[in-house]
Amino acid sequence: MEGAGPTRAGPSGGPLPRGGGGGPAKSLKPTAGRPYPDPPHCLNSGSPSSPSFFPETSQPRSAPNAQRAGPKKPGLRVLAKSPRAPGSSPPGLNRSAENSSIMSQNGYFEDAGYLKCDADDASETREESLGDEAFDTVNSSIVSGESIRFFVNVNLEVQPTQSEGESPGGYGLLHTSRKYLKLKNFEEEIRAHRDLDGFLARASIILNETATSLDDVLRAMLCRLAQDSHNTEPDCNLDPLMAMLFTDAGAPTEGKAVHLLSDTIQGVTATVTGVQYQQSWLCIICTSKALLKRHVCISRLVRPQNWGENSCEVRFVILVLAPPKMKSTKTATEVGRTFATMFLDITFRQKLLKTRTEEEFKEALVHQRQLLTVMSHCPSISMKDYSMSSVCTHRPPQPPRHKDFLPMGRGIREDIARRFPVYPLDFTDGIIGKNKAVGKYITTTLFLYFACLLPTIAFGSLNDENTNGAIDVQKTIAGQSIGGLLYALFSGQPLVVLLTTAPLALYIHVIRGICDDYDLDFSTFYAWTGLWNSFFLTLYALFNLSLVMSLFKRSTEEIIALFISITFVLDAVKGMVKIFQKYYCGHNPGNYYEDRSSPVSLLGLSPSLNSSLHAALNTSLLAGPPELPSVGSQGPEPLARDTAVLSLLIMLGTLWLSYTLYQFKKSPYLHPYMREILSDCALPISVLTFSLISSYGFQEIKMGKFRYNPSKSLFEMAEMHSLSLVAVSGAMGLGFLLSMLFFIEQNLVAALANAPENRLVKGTAYHWDLLLVAIINTGLSLFGLPWIHAAYPHSPLHVRALALVEERVENGHIYETIVSVKETRLTTLGASILVGFSLLLLPFPLQWIPKPVLYGLFLYIALTSIDGNQLFARMVLLLKDQTSYPPTHYIRRVPQRKIHYFTGLQVLQLLLLCAFGMSTLPYMKMIFPLIMIAMIPIRYNLLPQIIEAKYLDAMDAEH
């Protein structure tokens, strides 16, 4: 009643009975016509009537203004009950009995009906037996479902503003927050075992607490913690800690404030008609700046106590204290989640009631941990399946067996059968129907156009120099357009982007050298090498060898991706160093056009370790040969330090503008739609802006331009009969090595594009795409056009450009997750057409794009490709404070020391790749695919000898 004075409330918001402290439950005896009378201590104060108690037949009554939710969702729902204002009365409480509970696949217990009585053994008196856990639940229609879940009640008091004429403490505001908590997975989360081990090492257990009031029980627990010999708190003041457990901490001293627990975890069982709260235990958590480490105390009361609504039969109290600045897996909530998961089991609570000593209590905790760990292995137990011998259906993927590679062509047929039914949707999704994304398609097409055109021009210029004009810029653009167009129309995964890359430029350079040494026709030898490459790729596709790529774990893919990013950065740096050596220092290092080729290699870096390594190798290779003087130059050029300085500014400016626009979608400026457009167009805007600044803003300063020589004929077929049988056999050897590069590059990039976190739904087509790449490169080889294969990071960036991305917050850490992706062929199709039309823009205006803009583009691609790389993220952990660690799956499942060991081993493999990939010997670079394959036994045979296999699998997992 509003006019009445404040009433002392229980932990969950209900008023305490008169007398303030609660008391032991009185025994209930059957009467005629009713199994049991109403429990005196649970009756509504001020309520005209009280409910009857029927252990098995009574149905819960809906609470006033209760909300009904839909069907049960998997996982653990944490609910918070709005506390009752002082002076009001709790609703009528219905009682139900607990049935036998079992653990489901998610780690929580499920119930077929109501909770069964958690009673003592037969030797106890009937008063104790009924009082312990006979009323372990209370019904409240809040959500529906059929699983026991945590109840976390967070009450934050807002100090009331007293108006004139009001008595102090008469009114106030109370903020109640509801959270969702998952049950602790004892089989996967390493911190669950660490929490229990830490508690057992310095256990604070009170077995027979005689206090009846909640305040007295908590004070006794705090005193026990303070008197603990293992206590390391120098300034342990009980009064401030005691005050922080309740909502009236910091409240005005005048009058009485609402006295509620501010942060609790409680188990509930969600049924179709409402929610039943587990009444026999309560977990209280608190954070305090005065603490230096975490503390846990468990108290078992002599008699069950009534401390208000939803806490009428409390027998166990768990108190968790922790400092606020802790690692995300060591917070007070995480520790409370560990013990709350254990106390959900009614059988475990019954066992704890029978323990006589602390050692028996600890043994029960250890046994419960073992039970939870074993049950976590089997996620297939349902509510209706009470057998604990259910067979687990989830098994890790097995490596391919011999019979998986036969019959011939099975993988191709399955790919076509999987993708052909959705082929029309690849053209209509986002154009017709709901969720149109025409604007997204246009911006993504422009991004792809610039991301493909610039490396194509750069590699074309490099090939022009390496082949003395046999493969020039025009042929490179034409091959890119034709190959990309065919792949966009007929591929099984159109989100993969094909490009000519630095490793391919290296092979072309080696082939030209062989032809010069043995006086062979370059066009014919090049064509035979390409035909042998396509022949081997066709065999790989027909015999389903793409299944072998399943042996490449996520850790190996991360090494490849990070290596590619490093080569991008190194090539850009090398190119800028050469510019400074030539224009600032007056030195004349390797070919100036070769220095362009170095950045070019960066752009074309392939996703696989092979291509990335070859890209880096290409960079060093470019630096090796002597420099060719520029056309029309007579002797060394005079110093032009303004050219060097301007080149550096243009490169950094391109990087800054492109990355700033890329991150602009996270800023608060402009409309969200405009922010998204600017972010998608970051690359073309930055390239055009600084190309105009360089070419027209500083016309008096000379900037390096790409070499361009018009082709005599774009399509001229090679004379295949002009080579001897020995030369054709030599081409076969080169073709085999080249096919290994194609095989690894194509499949690894496709795997990165099809990663589970990208949430693609139309299926994969590894075998068919490999065959299609073989067919495309057959035509390119015959007409002397450069080869193409899947490119990294262009393909994953293409997927992300078409994705709907959301930001989510977990334990204070913000991370991005892909919700859906528009799987379309229109973007790659449009980009390939635009690349073909770019032939009309040669030599002007494309030739006026300065090389520093290309270097800035390389840095941008490297920076954006690092985003989401788990290896790089774990390397950054070495520089972070533990409190800043994100709550990722490997942080939860793997010990910190093992994480750093694994990261160090990955870095060693990365250095090994760099040693081969960046070697100055071109022939060593050509065997790089073999080095990539050698990483498989390292992962499967060597690493498990250093780190346990379960930890390796956890860090290789996606989530």
Side-chain angles (χ1 to χ4, degrees):
M1 299 177 59
E2 293 183 357
T7 304
R8 185 177 182 84
S12 299
L16 292 173
R18 295 183 182 275
K26 298 180 179 180
S27 62
L28 304 177
K29 299 182 179 180
T31 58
R34 295 172 63 184
Y36 293 96
D38 297 326
H41 59 282
C42 292
L43 296 178
N44 288 340
S45 57
S47 178
S49 61
S50 301
S52 300
F53 173 61
F54 299 93
E56 300 294 340
T57 61
S58 63
Q59 298 294 327
R61 185 173 60 187
S62 299
N65 302 324
Q67 298 178 356
R68 293 291 181 92
K72 163 186 96 165
K73 296 182 179 180
L76 185 66
R77 185 176 303 280
V78 178
L79 304 173
K81 171 183 64 62
S82 300
R84 189 162 303 280
S88 62
S89 301
L93 305 179
N94 294 327
R95 304 299 180 191
S96 61
E98 291 188 1
N99 290 333
S100 299
S101 301
I102 62 170
M103 180 167 289
S104 75
Q105 62 181 15
N106 293 322
Y108 54 78
F109 293 84
E110 292 188 341
D111 220 299
Y114 301 115
L115 297 176
K116 182 186 286 185
C117 294
D118 195 352
D120 251 336
D121 56 25
S123 62
E124 299 291 339
T125 64
R126 181 169 185 79
E127 177 180 354
E128 284 185 290
S129 177
L130 292 176
D132 286 342
E133 299 218 13
F135 310 108
D136 194 26
T137 64
V138 85
N139 298 312
S140 174
S141 297
I142 297 179
V143 296
S144 56
E146 297 175 348
S147 60
I148 294 183
R149 304 159 187 255
F150 284 155
F151 175 89
V152 171
N153 189 2
V154 182
N155 298 324
L156 304 177
E157 182 192 15
V158 180
Q159 295 187 8
T161 303
Q162 182 177 347
S163 57
E164 294 181 5
E166 293 182 354
S167 60
Y171 296 97
L173 298 177
L174 194 67
H175 173 219
T176 300
S177 175
R178 294 174 179 175
K179 296 181 181 179
Y180 176 91
L181 285 183
K182 295 180 180 179
L183 280 167
K184 206 85 165 193
N185 190 320
F186 276 71
E187 194 258 333
E188 293 184 349
E189 299 189 53
I190 188 65
R191 184 46 59 182
H193 298 270
R194 297 287 180 87
D195 291 340
L196 185 58
D197 291 339
F199 173 75
L200 295 176
R202 47 189 182 89
S204 295
I205 302 174
I206 303 177
L207 291 182
N208 297 296
E209 177 58 58
T210 58
T212 57
S213 69
L214 176 61
D215 292 51
D216 293 341
V217 171
L218 292 178
R219 187 171 295 278
M221 298 175 73
L222 290 175
C223 291
R224 178 63 176 267
L225 291 175
Q227 297 170 1
D228 188 358
S229 59
H230 299 92
N231 181 27
T232 59
E233 306 293 343
D235 302 322
C236 186
N237 195 334
L238 300 184
D239 292 335
L241 285 178
M242 185 70 183
M244 294 184 67
L245 298 176
F246 296 92
T247 57
D248 53 2
T253 55
E254 307 88 20
K256 294 183 178 180
V258 178
H259 193 69
L260 300 175
L261 290 171
S262 60
D263 204 346
T264 62
I265 300 178
Q266 195 170 356
V268 297
T269 303
T271 65
V272 177
T273 55
V275 171
Q276 299 172 329
Y277 293 86
Q278 290 192 346
Q279 305 274 317
S280 62
W281 65 277
L282 189 64
C283 181
I284 305 169
I285 59 180
C286 176
T287 59
S288 174
K289 296 181 180 180
L291 298 175
L292 298 180
K293 59 190 306 183
R294 298 169 300 158
H295 302 276
V296 179
C297 183
I298 300 178
S299 178
R300 187 184 69 184
L301 309 183
V302 174
R303 294 287 188 274
Q305 301 299 324
N306 172 23
W307 288 335
E309 185 182 3
N310 300 332
S311 300
C312 298
E313 301 290 337
V314 179
R315 192 68 190 270
F316 296 97
V317 179
I318 309 162
L319 178 62
V320 180
L321 306 176
K325 280 295 207 178
M326 294 294 293
K327 188 178 176 181
S328 59
T329 56
K330 298 181 180 180
T331 61
T333 302
E334 288 296 316
V335 178
R337 192 164 68 96
T338 298
F339 288 92
T341 301
M342 302 178 71
F343 273 80
L344 275 177
D345 188 1
I346 186 174
T347 305
F348 170 65
R349 298 196 300 271
Q350 289 175 334
K351 187 175 183 179
L352 290 181
L353 289 174
K354 300 174 183 178
T355 58
R356 304 301 180 186
T357 63
E358 288 191 9
E359 292 302 321
E360 293 181 2
F361 199 97
K362 293 179 182 179
E363 290 177 0
L365 290 173
V366 173
H367 181 267
Q368 179 68 4
R369 174 175 63 179
Q370 295 174 350
L371 178 63
L372 291 173
T373 303
V374 172
M375 296 180 71
S376 296
H377 281 285
C378 189
S380 59
I381 301 177
S382 62
M383 182 190 72
K384 297 181 181 180
D385 185 7
Y386 293 91
S387 174
M388 299 306 296
S389 60
S390 301
V391 179
C392 300
T393 59
H394 175 72
R395 292 182 177 88
Q398 299 294 326
R401 294 167 293 181
H402 294 289
K403 65 178 183 179
D404 296 331
F405 301 104
L406 294 173
M408 186 174 65
R410 183 182 63 179
I412 296 176
R413 292 193 298 270
E414 291 177 351
D415 290 343
I416 295 177
R418 184 186 307 115
R419 290 291 305 188
F420 187 75
V422 297
Y423 183 80
L425 298 179
D426 293 339
F427 294 93
T428 59
D429 283 352
I431 302 296
I432 301 175
K434 298 181 180 180
N435 301 323
K436 294 183 178 180
V438 178
K440 172 72 75 173
Y441 288 176
I442 294 175
T443 56
T444 303
T445 301
L446 292 176
F447 160 76
L448 271 186
Y449 169 64
F450 281 91
C452 295
L453 178 64
L454 293 182
T456 298
I457 294 175
F459 283 116
S461 178
L462 174 63
N463 290 330
D464 189 6
E465 298 169 5
N466 291 338
T467 62
N468 295 328
I471 300 178
D472 56 12
V473 174
Q474 282 182 302
K475 285 191 174 184
T476 305
I477 293 179
Q480 174 66 41
S481 178
I482 296 172
L485 194 63
L486 293 175
Y487 193 83
L489 288 174
F490 303 110
S491 65
Q493 181 49 272
L495 298 183
V496 172
V497 179
L498 299 190
L499 274 178
T500 182
T501 60
L504 298 180
L506 172 66
Y507 270 85
I508 294 174
H509 181 72
V510 172
I511 290 173
R512 181 65 191 190
I514 293 175
C515 292
D516 292 340
D517 293 340
Y518 296 95
D519 194 21
L520 302 175
D521 181 68
F522 170 77
S523 298
T524 306
F525 191 76
Y526 175 83
W528 273 109
T529 304
L531 291 179
W532 281 116
N533 168 58
S534 298
F535 170 75
F536 288 116
L537 290 179
T538 303
L539 291 181
Y540 301 156
L542 291 176
F543 287 98
N544 312 316
L545 289 185
S546 292
L547 296 175
V548 176
M549 299 306 297
S550 62
L551 298 176
F552 282 84
K553 295 289 189 177
R554 173 173 179 166
S555 56
T556 304
E557 296 174 354
E558 290 170 352
I559 296 173
I560 296 172
L562 189 57
F563 174 83
I564 296 172
S565 301
I566 292 174
T567 44
F568 271 117
V569 175
L570 290 180
D571 284 351
V573 172
K574 285 182 179 180
M576 189 55 58
V577 168
K578 290 181 181 180
I579 291 179
F580 267 77
Q581 287 178 343
K582 180 174 182 179
Y583 290 104
Y584 198 89
C585 302
H587 298 163
N588 207 0
N591 189 342
Y592 182 52
Y593 295 126
E594 287 179 357
D595 102 66
R596 302 172 199 144
S597 56
S598 152
V600 173
S601 67
L602 289 176
L603 242 171
L605 278 178
S606 324
S608 78
L609 289 178
N610 313 346
S611 47
S612 48
L613 232 160
H614 280 300
L617 302 177
N618 179 38
T619 302
S620 57
L621 175 72
L622 297 174
E627 175 180 347
L628 298 176
S630 301
V631 177
S633 62
Q634 301 294 333
E637 297 184 4
L639 290 179
R641 295 184 175 179
D642 50 355
T643 299
V645 175
L646 180 61
S647 298
L648 178 62
L649 295 178
I650 292 295
M651 181 188 71
L652 296 179
T654 303
L655 171 64
W656 169 79
L657 181 60
S658 58
Y659 194 74
T660 300
L661 292 178
Y662 175 74
Q663 297 288 337
F664 196 75
K665 58 186 175 183
K666 301 179 181 179
S667 69
Y669 305 106
L670 301 182
H671 191 272
Y673 182 72
M674 292 300 300
R675 294 200 299 263
E676 186 176 0
I677 291 178
L678 289 175
S679 178
D680 293 339
C681 296
L683 183 59
I685 290 176
S686 60
V687 169
L688 292 176
T689 299
F690 281 92
S691 295
L692 292 175
I693 292 176
S694 175
S695 300
Y696 295 97
F698 299 91
Q699 295 184 9
E700 67 281 1
I701 300 179
K702 180 181 178 180
M703 300 291 290
K705 298 180 177 61
F706 292 110
R707 175 177 173 176
Y708 170 72
N709 294 318
S711 298
K712 297 179 181 180
S713 176
L714 273 180
F715 305 100
E716 183 177 355
M717 192 168 180
E719 299 179 0
M720 305 302 296
H721 60 276
S722 61
L723 283 186
S724 63
L725 184 60
V726 176
V728 173
S729 302
M732 182 179 67
L734 288 176
F736 175 74
L737 291 176
L738 184 63
S739 68
M740 296 296 295
L741 173 64
F742 267 77
F743 176 77
I744 296 178
E745 292 274 355
Q746 180 68 34
N747 285 285
L748 274 180
V749 176
L752 292 173
N754 291 308
E757 58 265 26
N758 291 336
R759 302 181 187 275
L760 302 183
V761 297
K762 293 184 179 180
T764 61
Y766 293 101
H767 312 283
W768 166 249
D769 286 348
L770 189 62
L771 178 62
L772 181 60
V773 168
I775 296 173
I776 291 174
N777 282 279
T778 298
L780 297 178
S781 301
L782 291 175
F783 290 96
L785 302 178
W787 303 306
I788 58 176
H789 60 60
Y792 179 90
H794 302 76
S795 300
L797 290 179
H798 180 211
V799 174
R800 194 169 185 84
L802 292 172
L804 174 61
V805 181
E806 287 185 356
E807 285 189 349
R808 297 180 180 177
V809 180
E810 183 178 354
N811 292 342
H813 295 269
I814 301 176
Y815 66 97
E816 292 183 345
T817 181
I818 293 178
V819 179
S820 63
V821 177
K822 293 292 183 181
E823 300 180 53
T824 180
R825 299 178 185 270
L826 299 179
T827 51
T828 49
L829 192 63
S832 298
I833 294 174
L834 291 178
V835 170
F837 279 121
S838 299
L839 287 171
L840 304 176
L841 302 179
L842 287 173
F844 180 84
L846 292 181
Q847 195 180 12
W848 292 93
I849 298 177
K851 292 185 294 181
V853 170
L854 181 60
Y855 300 158
L857 176 63
F858 294 158
L859 294 177
Y860 167 76
I861 291 178
L863 191 59
T864 53
S865 64
I866 288 176
D867 187 20
N869 187 287
Q870 191 184 109
L871 170 58
F872 182 78
R874 283 188 273 105
M875 292 171 63
V876 174
L877 291 181
L878 296 172
L879 305 176
K880 284 186 176 181
D881 181 59
Q882 288 192 11
T883 58
S884 302
Y885 282 14
T888 57
H889 65 280
Y890 54 87
I891 293 292
R892 293 183 178 277
R893 300 177 186 177
V894 184
Q896 181 176 323
R897 183 175 299 177
K898 302 292 184 181
I899 293 176
H900 296 327
Y901 285 167
F902 183 68
T903 304
L905 293 173
Q906 280 188 293
V907 171
L908 291 179
Q909 296 177 70
L910 179 62
L911 294 177
L912 177 64
L913 291 177
C914 293
F916 280 88
M918 299 181 183
S919 171
T920 56
L921 302 176
Y923 291 99
M924 182 180 293
K925 303 173 187 178
M926 293 183 66
I927 64 172
F928 179 70
L930 303 178
I931 304 301
M932 284 292 303
I933 296 177
M935 297 185 68
I936 296 178
I938 293 178
R939 169 60 180 83
Y940 282 90
N941 300 111
L942 179 59
L943 294 186
Q945 303 297 325
I946 304 175
I947 301 175
E948 291 89 331
K950 63 177 181 179
Y951 296 145
L952 292 176
D953 293 338
M955 286 182 284
D956 275 332
E958 300 296 336
H959 300 288

